Amino acid sequence: SEEEAAEEVPMLDPDLELLLDAARPLLQSRNSAVVVAVARCYLYLAPSSPYLSHAIGPLISLLRSAQDIQQIALYNIVQVCLARPEAFVAYTTHFLIRALDPPQVWRLKLEVLTLVFPHCGRETKGLILSELEHFSKSHGNGALVRESVRSIGRCAQSSDARTASRCLRLLLRQITSADSNLVAEALEVIRLLIQRDPAAHAQTVIRLAKNLDTVTSSQARASIIWLVGEFAG
């Protein structure tokens, strides 16, 4: 029955379970490599078992370490997050970008934020979008601007209609920016969103057309003209 299927617990091989139980105390190790090794062991040997949840806290604690360890921890957090994104929702604030974060760190943080976004509550989603909007306007860091705009697009694709609408509004605000790179990136993401459901974005195309005279970037103007022509029907 459906109730029995819902209550079904995955059975592990006794020898495997013995290994997983023996490895659990190692999550308290002061050696970051040991903690990461146990987390990967749980991820690859028993991804659907409760064991993996025991590694979440120790992985998060590694984010207080030096940058090189922080990067390794984030890489492994992304791998675990692909399997259990809901487990990291409570730790969302740990993945907010700091001004001094190097590219290899903030890229991984953005990846985690977009993975947990669909599983967050309204307030946490609002926090994530506010952060992404802020960094999409980071002058002097074109790479962070592009990745932040792309992350907003990813959040829009994995959201309910209300949140997706907010994401789209954030992107549309960028098209009047003096930063041509930001405008071009925002329009590229908007184009992808429109292509997913053209019928639902007729007003978006109209709004883009109305902004054609105010957009200064030639690349952005060309993108708008293409969009209007593509969806004029």
Side-chain angles (χ1 to χ4, degrees):
S1 67
E2 292 184 4
E3 292 184 0
E4 291 176 345
E7 295 176 358
E8 185 177 348
V9 177
M11 298 297 294
L12 297 175
D13 180 89
D15 290 335
L16 174 58
E17 197 164 5
L18 185 63
L19 169 64
L20 300 177
D21 283 331
R24 185 174 172 182
L26 296 176
L27 288 170
Q28 307 304 317
S29 173
R30 294 183 179 181
N31 188 320
S32 58
V34 173
V35 174
V36 168
V38 175
R40 292 176 72 87
C41 172
Y42 286 167
L43 175 62
Y44 295 121
L45 297 180
S48 59
S49 74
Y51 286 95
L52 187 56
S53 61
H54 298 310
I56 305 298
L59 281 175
I60 294 295
S61 68
L62 294 181
L63 297 180
R64 296 192 293 268
S65 306
Q67 277 190 357
D68 55 342
I69 296 175
Q70 196 178 137
Q71 181 183 349
I72 294 171
L74 280 167
Y75 174 81
N76 285 278
I77 285 172
V78 169
Q79 302 307 308
V80 177
C81 198
L82 288 168
R84 297 275 189 87
E86 67 284 351
F88 292 93
V89 170
Y91 303 101
T92 301
T93 55
H94 289 72
F95 307 111
L96 299 180
I97 299 171
R98 299 175 182 176
L100 297 179
D101 283 342
Q104 60 269 29
V105 168
W106 60 250
R107 288 180 192 277
L108 290 167
K109 285 186 175 181
L110 285 177
E111 181 70 19
V112 177
L113 288 175
T114 54
L115 287 171
V116 302
F117 185 84
H119 306 275
C120 294
R122 182 178 300 176
E123 289 186 6
T124 306
K125 284 182 177 179
L127 173 64
I128 293 174
L129 289 178
S130 295
E131 286 291 303
L132 294 177
E133 181 183 18
H134 171 72
F135 285 105
S136 70
K137 301 174 183 176
S138 298
H139 302 291
N141 193 338
L144 180 55
V145 167
R146 288 191 296 273
E147 293 301 328
S148 296
V149 170
R150 289 171 186 168
S151 295
I152 293 173
R154 289 181 61 186
C155 290
Q157 293 178 38
S158 62
S159 302
D160 55 87
R162 181 175 180 177
T163 307
S165 178
R166 179 183 174 183
C167 294
L168 187 58
R169 288 197 301 271
L170 292 179
L171 294 169
L172 287 169
R173 287 177 196 165
Q174 314 293 4
I175 64 176
T176 55
S177 170
D179 185 339
S180 59
N181 290 327
L182 171 57
V183 175
E185 195 62 46
L187 280 170
E188 177 64 19
V189 176
I190 290 170
R191 181 179 67 81
L192 293 173
L193 293 175
I194 291 175
Q195 286 179 320
R196 289 183 65 214
D197 189 2
H201 291 291
Q203 292 301 316
T204 304
V205 177
I206 292 172
R207 179 172 174 179
L208 288 172
K210 288 180 177 178
N211 281 280
L212 187 58
D213 292 335
T214 60
V215 174
T216 57
S217 166
S218 58
Q219 183 180 357
R221 288 170 60 84
S223 296
I224 292 174
I225 292 171
W226 183 90
L227 276 168
V228 172
E230 181 73 10
F231 300 101

